[in-house]
């Protein structure tokens, strides 16, 4: 999954996923609910396996799908995106019940599951696919996203690396990427630990690290 890691684990997620997870398709196996109440949000926080795990813990989230956004190529493959040539970012589409959880809470979870200062990387994963980003789907989402970014800049007193980008399209990743953390826990946890994600989140956020609800 990585382009150029600071630790010597070259393309570890890609190797793990392709070696053990079976053939790829462009479908998602996430479960969603029916009905008009469902809303969605799109976040890029580095490795989409980890972002998916974080949002699956949030009460009121009814489906998560790993995929890609931000580039111009239609229906890109994981290999095309990870090459860095498509300008896509690894993202997770979060479908949620607004009567049980609001977008502001989803933003709270987003921030506390990323390194907010990193640019074109997250943890050991480097390159454009791992840029942290928020893709607002409407004006209200954009206003809240910008407000939280301003709040983070004020809180930490330094520049924030998260981009807020126009949402144009979401393309689901191959099936073997969906729910990877749950289907392949040993390999996933090895990757997550070796990548230094938990240690860095603790360093930045302390007791707030890896939050899945607002206090």
């Amino acid at each position: 999954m990585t382009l150029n890691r600071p630790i010597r684990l070259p393309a570890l997620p890609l190797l793990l996923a392709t070696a053990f997870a079976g053939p790829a398709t462009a479908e998602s196996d996430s479960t969603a609910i029916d009905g008009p109440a469902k809303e969605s949000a799109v976040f890029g926080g580095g490795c989409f396996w980890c972002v998916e795990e974080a949002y699956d813990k949030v009460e009121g989230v009814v489906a998560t799908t790993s995929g890609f956004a931000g580039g111009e190529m239609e229906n890109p493959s994981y290999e095309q995106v990870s090459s860095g040539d498509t300008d896509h970012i690894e993202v997770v589409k979060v479908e949620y019940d607004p009567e049980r959880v609001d977008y502001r809470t989803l933003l709270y979870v987003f921030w506390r599951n990323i390194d907010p200062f990193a640019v074109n990387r997250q943890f050991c994963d480097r390159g454009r696919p791992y840029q942290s980003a928020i893709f607002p789907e409407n004006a209200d989402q954009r206003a809240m996203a910008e407000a939280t970014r301003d709040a983070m800049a004020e809180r930490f007193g330094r520049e924030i690396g998260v981009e807020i980008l126009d949402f144009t399209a979401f393309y689901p990743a191959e099936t073997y990427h969906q729910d990877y953390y749950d289907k392949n826990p040993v390999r996933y946890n090895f990757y997550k630990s070796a990548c230094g994600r938990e240690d860095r989140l603790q360093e930045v956020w302390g007791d707030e690290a890896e939050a899945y609800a607002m206090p």
Side-chain angles (χ1 to χ4, degrees), residues 64-207:
T64 56
T65 307
S66 289
F68 315 108
E72 295 184 359
M73 179 184 291
E74 295 184 3
N75 296 312
S77 69
Y78 175 72
E79 287 75 13
Q80 288 171 321
V81 172
S82 62
S83 73
D85 294 334
T86 71
D87 209 33
H88 285 87
I89 293 171
E90 285 196 14
V91 298
V92 170
K93 181 178 181 180
V94 179
E95 296 175 78
Y96 64 99
D97 181 349
E99 294 186 358
R100 298 169 59 201
V101 65
D102 58 15
Y103 187 69
R104 194 175 305 277
T105 298
L106 299 182
L107 285 169
Y108 183 91
V109 172
F110 167 77
W111 286 105
R112 286 149 184 85
N113 280 274
I114 65 164
D115 178 345
F117 315 118
V119 175
N120 283 335
R121 65 177 180 84
Q122 276 292 305
F123 315 105
C124 69
D125 293 317
R126 296 180 180 272
R128 183 63 182 174
Y130 306 105
Q131 169 64 36
S132 54
I134 304 169
F135 290 84
E137 297 186 31
N138 54 53
D140 288 341
Q141 286 189 0
R142 175 171 284 277
M144 284 187 277
E146 291 176 348
T148 59
R149 186 172 64 179
D150 292 345
M152 291 303 157
E154 181 176 356
R155 169 174 171 167
F156 291 106
R158 57 182 293 188
E159 187 173 354
I160 300 300
V162 174
E163 297 182 10
I164 299 175
L165 302 172
D166 292 336
F167 175 75
T168 55
F170 169 81
Y171 300 105
E174 294 86 345
T175 297
Y176 66 82
H177 286 297
Q178 310 302 332
D179 302 314
Y180 189 87
Y181 75 93
D182 187 47
K183 296 173 181 175
N184 302 276
V186 174
R187 300 177 188 108
Y188 170 74
N189 287 323
F190 171 72
Y191 156 71
K192 187 176 179 181
S193 176
C195 201
R197 190 179 189 102
E198 292 173 323
D199 290 343
R200 179 57 177 160
L201 290 176
Q202 285 290 330
E203 182 181 358
V204 174
W205 297 104
D207 292 342

